[in-house]
Amino acid sequence: MSATATPVGAQAPQYVFVDHLSAPAALSSPVESGAATVRSGINAGSLERDVRVLAAPEMRGRLRATDDNARARLYLIDRLRGAGMAPLFDGSYEQATYAERADAAGGRSDAPGARHGTNVGAIFRAEDAAAEWIALVAHYDHLGVLNGAVHAGADDNASSVALVLAIADSLGRSRPRLRRHVVVLFPDAEEPPDIRTDRMGSSWFWRHPPLPATRLHLAIVLDLMGGRASPEMAAAGLANALFVLGAEASRELADLTRALPPTDGVVPVFLSLPMIEAMPYVPHRRFARSDYHGLREHLGRPFVFLSTGRTETYHTARDTPDTLDYAKLARVTAWVAGLAAQAADTGGALPWRDFVADPVADARSLLRMSAAVETSARFGWPLRRALAADRRTVEALLRRWEAGEAPTSESYRTLQLASTRLQAAQWRPSGWYFARW
Ligand SMILES: [Zn+2]
């Protein structure tokens, strides 16, 4: 745990500012043969097929606690068994999850309430049973049928599930000797209204892990991995961007993710987590975006969150298999396989602390991402003007910080809100309300 407790009340989170991402990167780490095998064993042919099954109209959006969700789960278990992955939970690929009840003192009780969801998990074991473990995490549930329209959830999150299945296939085929166990986890109940609560399937998992929590070396959490880049990102040279969040938590974690050998057609863009967790008008809260929520709150073990970002189809009925960029998904899968294998086979302990940010790295990434917003034909002029003003503000902040001035909570909050507006604009380019506060 960090020395800074979780903020309560109206206090803004106090971040410790670091240079783990902005300092010159460590040299590329040598690739172990096991890691190289996992990476070269990826068969991209399964990616589109898996997305098309999971996001088919008959799956009806895989809503938690429905028959549709159960059908998706059977498919996953079948795929994991076929890949040669062992069941994770006492001989079963399934873990029932429960809605935990608060006890009388306001704390949490482990006494199960009603059955809430079902996680799916499998493991590729290292030789040493007591070895540490890494986890690849991609939620499989989605929004189901809303107002009569199937929300298929192709990008959210069949894309990441397919990616992890491709890595499972590679592990099962090549059976490398790795120093650490590799767990693949498909949590249930990630979507609203469960997101950021203990009802999340992943929150239950992190509180009831099948392997010792203290032996968790790294979790790699994936959400939205198959979307096409926005025109603004493409114009800024970031059509192949892969956002890497959370690596700022320690020098060792930053080095692991930054020293990976380059993958053709993948441009890692590093951001501190607070850059995607701020909302206007709610300065005292941070909004976890995916299955790392419970891990961060309950376990405090190292993790990174990977995403290619929200697109215009996010959480709409238009998030269908034909909108995805499968060639990019294949390239990104190779990158993630490289990271997973490297984490499973090399390096010592990865220290981790909460409430950390690298403002200089964040400002640099934000300026790269917003390089083409002023010429975007999608944005109306008020939004373009607001984004351009943000850009000038971020440039000025970066100049001051690079000149040695220390970032403050206030100046970093300004950066976070500029980041929030840019993300909101790309998700709702017509100028949705919170893109124009
Ligand atoms: Zn979602």
Side-chain angles (χ1 to χ4, degrees):
M1 289 301 292
S2 92
T4 319
T6 304
V8 287
Q11 278 242 295
Q14 297 294 310
Y15 294 106
V16 175
F17 297 127
V18 297
D19 68 351
H20 300 155
L21 298 173
S22 53
L27 293 175
S28 285
S29 35
V31 181
E32 302 293 328
S33 68
T37 312
V38 177
R39 210 178 125 130
S40 62
I42 294 289
N43 177 354
S46 65
L47 294 169
E48 180 165 357
R49 203 168 58 229
D50 285 336
V51 170
R52 288 194 179 274
V53 171
L54 291 167
E58 309 85 79
M59 286 291 182
R60 294 168 53 83
R62 312 182 301 279
L63 181 68
R64 176 192 68 80
T66 62
D67 290 346
D68 313 316
N69 177 283
R71 274 200 309 283
R73 194 159 62 243
L74 283 180
Y75 179 74
L76 296 180
I77 292 170
D78 202 49
R79 283 284 282 107
L80 290 169
R81 197 176 277 130
M85 297 283 288
L88 181 58
F89 308 104
D90 268 337
S92 169
Y93 290 96
E94 295 185 324
Q95 179 189 42
T97 74
Y98 296 89
E100 287 167 314
R101 293 173 296 203
D103 63 25
R108 287 187 198 81
S109 155
D110 277 339
R115 166 97 176 236
H116 194 68
T118 309
N119 296 331
V120 176
I123 185 168
F124 179 80
R125 290 184 196 283
E127 257 172 40
D128 175 8
E132 294 178 319
W133 53 295
I134 70 156
L136 286 155
V137 183
H139 76 86
Y140 74 95
D141 68 307
H142 192 57
L143 301 171
V145 182
L146 292 173
N147 302 319
V150 171
H151 284 53
D155 192 22
D156 186 7
N157 192 25
S159 62
S160 305
V161 172
L163 183 159
V164 173
L165 285 171
I167 294 176
D169 284 336
S170 176
L171 285 168
R173 255 195 313 268
S174 58
R175 310 209 75 80
R177 285 164 174 249
L178 300 172
R179 271 170 51 190
R180 302 185 174 98
H181 306 300
V182 179
V183 161
V184 306
L185 175 68
F186 302 119
D188 199 356
E190 189 271 354
E191 295 287 5
D194 296 320
I195 180 87
R196 289 182 286 278
T197 71
D198 280 347
R199 297 186 307 274
M200 292 177 88
S202 54
S203 290
W204 180 268
F205 177 88
W206 300 124
R207 288 170 60 72
H208 304 88
L211 298 166
T214 52
R215 307 288 288 159
L216 175 60
H217 177 68
L218 178 70
I220 301 170
V221 179
L222 307 113
D223 213 337
L224 310 173
M225 293 295 273
R228 289 176 195 281
S230 71
E232 297 79 27
M233 289 286 284
L238 293 176
N240 292 322
L242 169 62
F243 297 103
V244 181
L245 296 119
E248 69 281 0
S250 70
R251 177 91 51 202
E252 291 82 351
L253 188 50
D255 284 350
L256 170 71
T257 48
R258 294 166 82 209
L260 289 177
T263 301
D264 284 344
V266 177
V267 179
V269 176
F270 292 86
L271 286 169
S272 307
L273 270 173
M275 292 289 277
I276 60 163
E277 297 195 321
M279 292 278 266
Y281 311 120
V282 202
H284 55 281
R285 274 195 63 191
R286 56 177 181 171
F287 293 81
R289 298 296 178 189
S290 194
D291 291 299
Y292 60 86
H293 167 76
L295 170 59
R296 184 168 69 183
E297 301 301 322
H298 300 306
L299 287 195
R301 299 296 305 155
F303 69 92
V304 287
F305 174 47
L306 307 178
S307 178
T308 53
R310 284 182 186 176
T311 68
E312 274 192 71
T313 67
Y314 175 75
H315 280 199
T316 72
R318 291 176 290 120
D319 181 6
T320 52
D322 38 293
T323 62
L324 267 49
D325 184 343
Y326 294 99
K328 185 166 96 176
L329 179 58
R331 298 192 298 269
V332 163
T333 300
W335 192 93
V336 177
L339 171 63
Q342 212 51 6
D345 211 32
T346 62
L350 297 172
W352 184 87
R353 69 177 297 185
D354 203 355
F355 294 104
V356 168
D358 186 332
V360 169
D362 291 342
R364 287 175 186 160
S365 292
L366 196 53
L367 289 175
R368 281 173 78 192
M369 291 156 61
S370 63
V373 289
E374 287 166 71
T375 53
S376 168
R378 290 198 308 161
F379 302 151
W381 70 264
L383 183 51
R384 257 198 332 258
R385 190 180 58 181
L387 291 165
D390 283 350
R391 228 182 117 69
R392 285 192 295 277
T393 304
V394 174
E395 280 167 348
L397 285 174
L398 180 59
R399 267 197 303 276
R400 281 159 45 192
W401 295 338
E402 284 182 332
E405 191 178 314
T408 63
S409 295
E410 294 70 34
S411 57
Y412 189 64
R413 170 87 180 154
T414 303
L415 194 71
Q416 288 179 277
L417 290 182
S419 169
T420 303
R421 172 148 39 213
L422 180 63
Q423 292 160 56
Q426 295 186 78
W427 176 29
R428 291 284 184 271
S430 56
W432 205 48
Y433 74 94
F434 84 78
R436 286 198 285 170
W437 75 88

